[in-house]
Amino acid sequence: MKHRPLLAGLFGAAVLATGAISWAVATRSDMFAESKAPAPAYQEADSLLRKGIQQDRNHDHAGAAHSYARVLELQPQNKYAWYDLGYAAEEVGNTDDARRAYERALTIDPAFSPALYNEALLLKKSKPDQAMALLERAMTADPKSAATAHYHIGLIWSRKGRDRQAVTEFRQAVAINPSLLSEVPRTYRESLSKH
């Protein structure tokens, strides 16, 4: 399940592995500080980015991808547009394009936690060690993401059959955010309540 919050002056996308786990919302104000484009291009890029987000919310992912591509024509170094382009690709099941777009966002800003997180979730099953490294980077970049990152690292350890490491990660996640306890796989919940 995926979730796409849009609040007045804020934008973000969250890939939810479960219904209750979300990711960070990034501000767009620094997009303009980073850009070298003339002021009208800021406005056009902002308008296109908002349009793309709305198109994604309306499940028009092809239209959203077109809007994000137009932003990138105006501002090739716009990490938000690359990130959103990845999100749109992921929504239609094109994980290779999604990953490439997240990588481009991370080339621009290696500490861009939403891209770190989404790429990690894409790699969770196929490249679990790489996914854990990305989640660790996401926690460093955005300490508010620690609970969710620990939770997903716990899931990865669980899939690897490394129960002790999984319990450690789940325990850290629940210590930060007790509401995650209900998301922890049942086989680990008992271990968490013993300590």
Side-chain angles (χ1 to χ4, degrees):
M1 174 192 233
K2 296 179 175 110
H3 177 65
R4 191 75 188 224
L6 173 64
L7 304 171
L10 299 177
F11 95 96
V15 174
L16 303 176
T18 65
I21 298 176
S22 63
W23 193 245
V25 176
T27 66
R28 294 189 314 135
S29 60
D30 60 340
M31 173 182 74
F32 302 116
E34 296 168 0
S35 176
K36 304 292 186 233
Y42 297 163
Q43 293 171 348
E44 186 176 358
D46 181 52
S47 176
L48 286 164
L49 209 52
R50 289 176 188 269
K51 178 181 177 183
I53 291 168
Q54 189 59 48
Q55 288 168 312
D56 267 335
R57 292 177 81 190
N58 292 332
H59 307 288
D60 177 11
H61 306 297
H66 179 75
S67 294
Y68 302 139
R70 180 70 182 109
V71 172
L72 292 168
E73 289 172 12
L74 297 168
Q75 299 176 331
Q77 296 299 305
N78 187 315
K79 67 184 179 185
Y80 300 102
W82 281 113
Y83 170 77
D84 286 332
L85 189 61
Y87 176 86
E90 195 172 350
E91 283 294 287
V92 296
N94 192 338
T95 57
D96 290 338
D97 283 351
R99 185 158 179 235
R100 278 191 288 274
Y102 295 145
E103 281 294 320
R104 287 295 302 266
L106 291 170
T107 299
I108 296 162
D109 180 357
F112 188 38
S113 59
L116 287 166
Y117 183 78
N118 281 16
E119 185 173 1
L121 293 186
L122 283 176
L123 296 173
K124 210 160 87 168
K125 291 181 182 175
S126 63
K127 297 181 180 181
D129 293 332
Q130 192 174 349
M132 284 194 288
L134 288 166
L135 289 166
E136 292 286 342
R137 283 177 54 196
M139 282 191 282
T140 300
D142 181 11
K144 292 181 277 184
S145 71
T148 305
H150 282 298
Y151 168 80
H152 285 288
I153 293 170
L155 290 176
I156 292 169
W157 283 124
S158 173
R159 285 189 188 104
K160 288 181 155 209
R162 306 281 295 273
D163 292 336
R164 187 176 311 164
Q165 288 90 341
V167 167
T168 298
E169 294 295 331
F170 290 138
R171 185 171 286 123
Q172 290 178 12
V174 170
I176 297 167
N177 182 353
S179 70
L180 290 177
L181 182 60
S182 65
E183 301 298 327
V184 171
R186 182 171 284 134
T187 56
Y188 294 99
R189 280 189 219 147
E190 211 173 289
S191 296
L192 298 179
S193 63
K194 289 180 183 177
H195 292 88

